């Protein structure tokens, strides 16, 4: 991809696939590679985990005497990272929680980024849409989150649960709720970038040779807003995972026997001093996810930028 | 530019009215009633009478119009009466909270100082930390400083404030006893000793919030700087033999600040919105705590007034961000 | 540990012998933390516990309850009874006498006119008085002389100690509130935030929802009390952080209602700065068994109504089996520790009314399985879930969002799974669950679930109104906007007759027998309202604070005038 604004020297080597270039550049970024490895490891753990570690995350000893004894166990062979306050196996809960948290994080981030970028580009590019779209953004920024979520849950939870079953219905409701309440920041930032890009020489040049708006946006504007969007995307994943835990905490999220990383972190909080590992593992998992996504994002940003790639 | 600002302000009026209506309907539609915190021992007949006395049983549009009148006419009239000794308001009823049965503006007035001190300074500290970190991280991309910066920023962002808050209290208030865990809102700063006390009680909440803010802003700053460092004009400036300091701090920084300024300006209204969790953990009892308390008690007048003020600030700071854009980037023209 | 024992001993000594030598205001400041901040200091406009208890520092009733649930005079000279002639033989009137030379904190005398005014204040039309129930059935309140108040009832009242008794019904000053009657009540912000009272403290400054600052009442009737010159009542945070502020950081002297898990209780006690104080009252955590069908397939307006009986919870053997499967002691050990004990009754106290049935306490999983088998619920298709006539035994179990309740839910689910019952859990934000909004499907009154858990209690020491909540006529439904106390939709004509009989009976032994019988019908034997845990009131007190006596029958701050600093 070579646009009018870039003056990178043309290589005379035989033409190579663009995506191969991107990959080659990405490979040189050590952080990105490590991030990718960690991230794939986490995903593998969550996907393959239940088949390797066959332990019901919600299993509690039915015999009360045994249950009391199995509470708050330290790490052992039977429970590699111990048990919780009801004697449930923490590793199984971490695996089950990760599945929910990672998917909520990604889906919600995707919804919010796509919607935010779309609104931002439209507002920044088409002057006529700027006013209405930005006022819409204001409206969403001003809406108190909690009543909005309460209303969404009240109106749609039972309907969705009826159509898709309780867990998928709740999942859809939660990711939509998080998505529609977190796109505003990226919309504002993208709009700002687009406003500035629009006056840049290469866009003016492309426009003057009669490039239609759609092409202009897809070929020239979007690739140049990738980097702030990448930052917003990494931040949004963390945000979505944390927001989900806040929702569960408020009784708006998943049913209580559905562990998630955010919820495990929250549940472990009272045990911070006695059993610090209870908050350590979920905290580590969330941080690792966010960190690895961030490095992947960094690598992608560099790899997608033709100016850096040329060097 | 002036006409632009004027036009935006003009559009803001219907926008805000629409926003206020949407908020009102939303809060009204949300499940819950002002009776949710009343003990179960109170019989239903009594609850019904209490709701009638609050006026909460009126149709939603009657209540909305009443609120509009109270917000735009009665409350300003009271304010003028209070300052100039006029008698504009007469006995008109002010906006009364369902929870406290007192004017909501009394509560808001009491809450603003602590919110501004704690959340405001946390934001300022956050920005002041974030900018240099972001700049230096980008300038020395992939250096150990950059790596450490990224690492801490991501940790700061991925660990929720409900966790950091409690962790700091356990370590610094319970174990080491360096700082108090409860914010004393009755403390008045009159001399050096009370000032030190104020600083001490602000340290923990400000740290929690500043860490979080700094994490976000430094990420945006770094990314924006990286974009600009690769631009042709930087090469040109260097080729002309300009000093590295001038290139980075004058040329690159000014251009990189443009998107960051939006992020910063847009974050300012959230200061007034308060930080719900941090305020609760440290018992700062600012506007955030007032809002969440009102939402839980379904205190519609309080929620409505607070969120509307919040909406006004958002619209205003959006305008400020746009104006700043125009000033920082002469290429952007507002017709 | 040793030091703590000594300090506790010291506290006990001071508590039993109130510091007679102490001087008013000699002990400086006392810091109290309520994790729910008070929003108003007039209990007639808000019946939230936080508001009633904070106002009880300033305004007082004629009589209150002590820690044993016995009445003791506050502003009254003594407690009127039939024996001393204060209560008429036919139970239709009660005559109160004020203490002599009582003064409001502004120095003016307290007279019977203030008491009569308080009645007028709460019964004024359009006032929306939150304590209206305390003044039910009163024909008139007369004041023959400045010291005497005669309350006449429309019908014989076996329990005449409702009006002007307890923290919910204190006396307001007529001079201050005269212009605040009826619809004007909420406009009197100054009065509602700074009431003039007779209590040990007066309001210095009140920031609603945040902090209440008080100073000793210069005109308090006991010249040596209170020992503290000032008091700060801070609000905000949660139970855990409030407990920490007393037990670990030592910033506060007393924290209200610090309901935290037993592990945390032990850890905080070990820090050595304070101790937990605990007392049991009438608060019972229970699981209500829906007698009506909550199935979502039914039309809106018919779900959870008496039109459709529940497919299996109407069978007493099924309910009993579900109860047998639960180990209540284990629930206490995991969730409540010191602050709870297993119970089978929804009336756990006072002793005169409390049923002694404890059959449910021992867990019996095999017995539960047997009962279910006998009831015809067997696992015919081998999937581990019992079924009958093609219908599976599936239970939706809902409760409010609260970490302890979620732990209890998980444990109960495990046991019920063990006996072959499928359980789906659901938790709902407390403000919605208890919000009573007829438009929301998630309120506990609507009960769109098979079973649900919450805690309830009754005011004072008389369970009459509470037990009357299980009348057939009090079943919530669409025709009464889902208002009504009969949550399990229990309906038994026999029970309704007992309610009517209790209302007529004034002999204490007979009343007790009736109440026990009724309790067993709905709870200990019938299991429509399955009692789980008798929940105590757990608060935290600093080791340097003396004189603390927890009281679950009245305001927790009932004896704050006796609090002292242990030096």
């Amino acid at each position: 991809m070579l646009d009018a604004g870039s003056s990178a020297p043309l290589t005379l080597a035989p033409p190579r696939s663009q995506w191969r270039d991107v990959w080659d550049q990405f490979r040189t970024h050590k952080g990105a590679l490590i991030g990718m490895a960690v991230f794939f490891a986490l995903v593998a753990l969550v996907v393959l985990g239940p088949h390797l570690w066959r332990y019901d995350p919600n299993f509690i000893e039915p015999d009360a005497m045994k249950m009391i004894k199995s509470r708050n166990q330290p790490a052992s062979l039977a429970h590699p990272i111990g048990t919780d306050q009801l004697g449930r196996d923490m590793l199984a809960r971490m695996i089950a929680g990760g599945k929910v948290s990672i998917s909520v994080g990604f889906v919600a981030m995707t919804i919010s980024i796509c919607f935010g970028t779309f609104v931002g580009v439209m507002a920044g590019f088409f002057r006529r849409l700027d006013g209405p779209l930005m006022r819409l953004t204001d409206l969403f920024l001003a809406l108190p989150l909690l009543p909005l979520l309460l209303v969404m849950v009240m109106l749609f939870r039972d309907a969705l649960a009826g159509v898709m079953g309780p867990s998928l219905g709740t999942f859809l409701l939660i990711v939509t709720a998080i998505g529609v309440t977190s796109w505003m920041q990226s919309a504002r930032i993208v709009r700002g970038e687009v406003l500035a890009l629009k006056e840049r020489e290469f866009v003016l040049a492309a426009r003057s040779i009669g490039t239609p708006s759609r092409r202009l946006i897809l070929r020239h504007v979007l690739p140049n807003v990738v980097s702030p969007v990448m930052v917003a995307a990494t931040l949004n994943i963390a945000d979505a995972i944390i927001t989900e835990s806040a929702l569960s905490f408020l009784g708006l999220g998943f049913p209580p026997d559905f562990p998630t990383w955010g919820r495990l972190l929250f549940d472990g909080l009272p045990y911070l001093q006695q059993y610090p590992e209870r908050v350590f593992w979920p905290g580590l998992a969330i941080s690792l996810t966010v960190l690895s996504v961030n490095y992947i994002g960094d690598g992608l940003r560099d790899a997608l930028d033709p100016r850096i790639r040329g060097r | 530019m002036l006409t632009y600002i004027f036009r935006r302000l003009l559009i803001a009026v219907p926008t805000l009215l629409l926003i206020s209506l949407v908020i009102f309907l939303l809060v009204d539609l949300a499940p819950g009633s002002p009776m949710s915190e009343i003990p179960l021992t109170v019989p239903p007949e009594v609850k019904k009478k209490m709701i009638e006395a609050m006026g909460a049983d009126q149709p939603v549009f009657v209540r909305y119009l009443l609120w509009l009148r109270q917000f735009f006419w009665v409350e300003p009239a009271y304010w003028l009466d209070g300052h100039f000794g006029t008698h504009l308001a007469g006995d008109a009823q002010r906006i009364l909270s369902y929870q406290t049965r007192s004017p909501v503006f009394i509560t808001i007035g009491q809450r603003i100082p602590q919110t501004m001190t704690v959340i405001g300074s946390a934001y300022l500290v956050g920005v002041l930390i974030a900018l240099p970190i972001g700049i230096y991280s980008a300038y020395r991309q992939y250096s150990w400083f950059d790596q450490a910066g990224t690492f801490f920023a991501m940790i700061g962002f991925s660990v929720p404030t409900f966790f950091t808050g409690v962790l700091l209290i356990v370590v610094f208030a319970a174990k080491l006893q360096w700082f108090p865990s409860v914010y004393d809102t009755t403390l008045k700063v009159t001399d050096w000793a009370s000032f030190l006390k104020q600083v001490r009680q602000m340290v923990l909440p400000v740290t929690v919030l500043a860490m979080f803010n700094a994490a976000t802003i430094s990420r945006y700053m770094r990314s924006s700087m990286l974009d600009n460092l690769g631009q042709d004009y930087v090469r040109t400036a260097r080729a002309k033999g300009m000093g590295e300091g001038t290139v980075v701090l004058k040329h690159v920084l000014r251009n990189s600040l443009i998107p960051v300024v939006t992020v910063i300006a847009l974050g300012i209204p959230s200061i007034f919105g308060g930080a719900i969790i941090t305020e609760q953990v440290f018992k700062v009892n600012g506007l955030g705590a007032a809002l969440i308390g009102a939402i839980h008690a379904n205190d519609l007048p309080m929620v409505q007034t607070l969120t509307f003020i919040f909406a006004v600030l958002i619209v205003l700071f959006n305008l400020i961000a746009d104006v700043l854009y125009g000033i920082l980037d002469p290429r952007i023209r507002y017709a | 540990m040793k030091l703590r024992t000594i300090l506790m001993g010291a506290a006990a000594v001071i508590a039993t012998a109130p510091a007679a030598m102490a001087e008013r205001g000699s002990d400086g400041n006392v810091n109290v933390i309520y994790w729910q901040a008070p929003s108003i200091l007039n209990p007639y406009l808000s019946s939230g516990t936080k508001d009633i208890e904070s106002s009880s520092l300033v305004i007082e009733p004629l009589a209150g309850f002590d820690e044993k649930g016995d009445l003791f005079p506050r502003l009254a000279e003594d407690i009127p009874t039939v024996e001393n002639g204060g209560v008429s033989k036919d139970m239709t009137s009660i005559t109160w006498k004020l203490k002599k030379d009582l003064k409001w904190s502004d120095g003016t005398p307290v007279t019977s006119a203030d008491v009569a005014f308080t009645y007028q204040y709460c019964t004024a039309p359009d006032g929306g008085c939150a304590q209206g129930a305390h003044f039910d059935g009163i024909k008139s309140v007369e004041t023959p002389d400045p010291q005497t108040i005669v309350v006449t009832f429309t019908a014989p009242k076996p329990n005449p100690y409702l009006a002007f008794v307890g923290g919910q019904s204190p006396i307001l000053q007529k001079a201050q509130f005269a212009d605040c009657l009826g619809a004007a009540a909420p406009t009197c912000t100054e009065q509602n935030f700074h009431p003039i009272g007779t209590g040990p403290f007066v309001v210095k400054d009140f920031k609603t929802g945040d902090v209440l600052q008080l100073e000793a009442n210069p005109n308090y009737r006991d010249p040596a009390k209170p020992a503290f010159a000032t008091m700060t009542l801070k609000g905000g945070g949660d139970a855990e952080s409030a407990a920490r502020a007393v037990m670990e950081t030592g910033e506060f002297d007393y924290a209200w209602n610090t309901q935290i898990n037993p592990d945390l209780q032990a850890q905080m006690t070990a820090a050595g700065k304070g101790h937990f104080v605990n007392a049991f009252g009438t608060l019972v955590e229970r699981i209500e068994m829906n007698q009506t069908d909550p199935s979502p397939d039914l039309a809106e307006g018919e779900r959870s109504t008496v039109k459709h009986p529940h497919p299996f919870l109407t069978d007493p053997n099924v309910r009993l089996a579900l109860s047998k499967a639960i180990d209540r002691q284990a629930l206490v050990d995991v969730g409540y520790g010191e602050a709870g004990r297993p119970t089978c009754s929804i009336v756990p106290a006072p002793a005169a009314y409390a049923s002694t049935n404890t059959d449910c306490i021992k867990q019996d999983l095999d017995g539960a399985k047997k009962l279910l088998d006998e009831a015809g619920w067997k696992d015919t298709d081998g999937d581990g879930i019992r079924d009958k006539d093609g219908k599976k035994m599936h239970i939706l179990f809902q409760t409010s969002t609260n970490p302890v309740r979620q732990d209890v839910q998980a444990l109960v689910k495990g046991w019920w799974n063990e006996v072959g019952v499928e359980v789906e859990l659901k938790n709902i934000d407390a403000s919605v669950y208890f919000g009573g909004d007829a438009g929301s499907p998630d309120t506990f009154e609507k009960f769109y679930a098979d079973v649900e858990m919450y805690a309830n209690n009754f005011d004072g020491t008389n369970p009459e109104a509470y037990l009357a909540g299980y009348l057939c006529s009090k079943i919530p439904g669409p025709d009464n906007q889902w208002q009504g106390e009969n949550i399990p939709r229990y309906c038994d004509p026999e029970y309704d007759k007992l309610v009517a009989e209790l209302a007529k009976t004034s002999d204490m032994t007979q009343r007790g027998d009736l109440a026990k019988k009724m309790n067993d019908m709905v709870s200990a034997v019938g299991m429509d309202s399955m009692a789980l845990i008798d929940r105590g009131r757990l608060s935290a007190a600093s080791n340097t604070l003396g004189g603390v006596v927890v009281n679950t029958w009245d305001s927790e701050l009932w004896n704050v005038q006796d609090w002292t600093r242990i030096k």
Side-chain angles (χ1 to χ4, degrees), chain A residues 15-297:
Chain A
R16 283 153 55 96
S17 148
Q18 181 189 338
W19 293 109
R20 205 171 151 164
D21 278 354
V22 171
W23 171 240
D24 281 348
Q25 174 64 32
F26 186 82
R27 268 197 325 192
T28 61
H29 194 300
K30 226 186 265 162
L33 281 185
I34 298 174
M36 196 125 121
V38 170
F39 184 71
F40 280 130
L42 280 170
V43 173
L45 179 80
V46 161
V47 175
L48 302 175
H51 303 286
L52 299 174
W53 187 247
R54 294 163 181 280
Y55 223 102
D56 179 0
N58 288 315
F59 176 76
I60 303 175
E61 283 287 346
D63 183 342
M65 290 303 291
K66 273 195 204 154
M67 185 274 290
I68 299 278
K69 274 197 205 118
S70 68
R71 300 173 62 217
N72 300 322
Q73 290 290 311
S76 65
L77 267 181
H79 304 286
I81 54 173
T83 60
D84 74 353
Q85 75 277 11
L86 300 180
R88 291 174 289 200
D89 181 60
M90 277 299 284
L91 181 59
R93 290 178 75 71
M94 283 293 296
I95 292 170
K99 202 165 98 193
V100 183
S101 287
I102 291 184
S103 27
V104 165
F106 266 86
V107 179
M109 178 272 283
T110 315
I111 295 177
S112 118
I113 288 298
C114 290
F115 195 61
T117 312
F118 177 76
V119 170
V121 168
M122 288 294 131
F125 200 83
F126 300 106
R127 182 158 290 158
R128 197 154 344 122
L129 289 177
D130 189 20
L133 282 178
M134 281 301 109
R135 300 298 80 75
L136 183 77
T137 317
D138 291 350
L139 171 67
F140 269 86
L141 278 170
L143 282 184
L145 202 58
L146 205 51
L148 180 71
L149 293 167
L150 286 172
V151 169
M152 284 181 70
V153 168
M154 181 179 81
L155 293 180
F156 306 120
R157 187 184 54 205
D158 287 356
L160 279 175
V163 180
M164 280 175 284
S167 48
L168 191 63
T170 318
F171 179 79
L172 214 73
L173 186 73
I174 289 175
V175 291
T176 320
I178 298 176
V180 299
T181 50
S182 63
W183 56 270
M184 295 81 76
Q185 180 114 346
S186 33
R188 290 280 328 183
I189 293 159
V190 169
R191 168 183 172 268
E193 289 276 307
V194 173
L195 277 180
L197 276 174
K198 216 167 61 173
E199 310 296 335
R200 292 274 289 274
E201 300 78 1
F202 67 92
V203 178
L204 291 176
R207 198 196 289 271
S208 63
I209 57 166
T211 318
S213 294
R214 209 169 69 94
R215 278 274 291 292
L216 208 59
I217 290 173
L218 288 178
R219 298 275 309 172
H220 301 287
V221 175
L222 271 186
N224 280 293
V225 295
V226 164
S227 100
V229 167
M230 277 294 168
V231 177
T234 27
L235 297 182
N236 267 337
I237 287 190
D239 215 23
I241 294 178
I242 303 296
T243 312
E244 185 281 317
S245 70
L247 290 185
S248 311
F249 161 62
L250 291 168
L252 301 174
F254 291 96
D257 44 353
F258 232 89
T260 70
W261 283 347
R263 189 191 207 111
L264 289 175
L265 181 64
F266 190 84
D267 287 350
L269 202 53
Y271 303 91
L272 180 66
Q273 291 175 73
Q274 289 162 300
Y275 311 106
E277 67 274 16
R278 203 72 69 67
V279 290
F280 174 75
W281 293 110
L284 181 76
I286 298 176
S287 299
L288 272 184
T289 312
V290 175
L291 212 56
S292 60
V293 170
N294 177 65
Y295 277 112
I296 297 173

Side-chain angles (χ1 to χ4, degrees), chain A residues 5-7 29 127 130 134-135 137-139 141-144 146-148 150-151 154-155 185 188-189 191-193 195-196 199-200 224 227-228 231-232 234-236 238-239 242 245-246 250 262 265-266 269 272-273 279 283 286-287 290-291 294-295 298-299 301-302 305 307 311, chain B residues 4 8 11 15 18-19 22-23 26-27 29-31 141-142 147 150-151 154-155 157-160 162-163 166-167 170 175 212 215-216 219-220 222-223 226-227 230-232 235 259 262-263 266 291-292 295-296 303 307 310-311 314-315 318 321-322 325 329 331-335:
Chain A
S6 149
S7 54
H29 194 300
R127 182 158 290 158
D130 189 20
M134 281 301 109
R135 300 298 80 75
T137 317
D138 291 350
L139 171 67
L141 278 170
L143 282 184
L146 205 51
L148 180 71
L150 286 172
V151 169
M154 181 179 81
L155 293 180
Q185 180 114 346
R188 290 280 328 183
I189 293 159
R191 168 183 172 268
E193 289 276 307
L195 277 180
E199 310 296 335
R200 292 274 289 274
N224 280 293
S227 100
V231 177
T234 27
L235 297 182
N236 267 337
D239 215 23
I242 303 296
S245 70
L250 291 168
L265 181 64
F266 190 84
L269 202 53
L272 180 66
Q273 291 175 73
V279 290
I286 298 176
S287 299
V290 175
L291 212 56
N294 177 65
Y295 277 112
D298 261 8
R301 199 187 62 91
D302 289 0
D305 189 336
R307 290 182 301 257
R311 268 185 262 160
Chain B
Y4 172 76
R8 278 284 297 269
I11 302 172
T15 314
L18 181 73
I19 291 179
V22 172
I23 296 175
L26 181 75
V27 179
L29 190 64
Q141 195 188 7
Y142 305 135
Q147 304 288 9
T150 308
F151 188 75
M154 284 299 125
I155 299 280
F157 199 82
S158 60
V159 180
F162 68 69
F163 176 72
V166 174
L167 183 70
V170 166
K175 289 266 178 294
F212 191 77
T216 329
R219 290 286 86 196
Y220 282 112
R222 174 178 179 273
S223 128
L226 279 179
D227 271 1
Q231 298 278 358
D232 300 334
R235 203 177 314 161
T262 335
V263 177
L266 289 178
L291 181 64
I292 193 78
I295 287 174
H296 278 304
V303 177
T307 43
F310 192 42
I314 286 172
V315 170
N318 267 350
D322 280 347
Y325 245 81
D329 191 343
R331 283 169 306 193
I332 296 174
R333 289 182 307 264
Y334 295 113

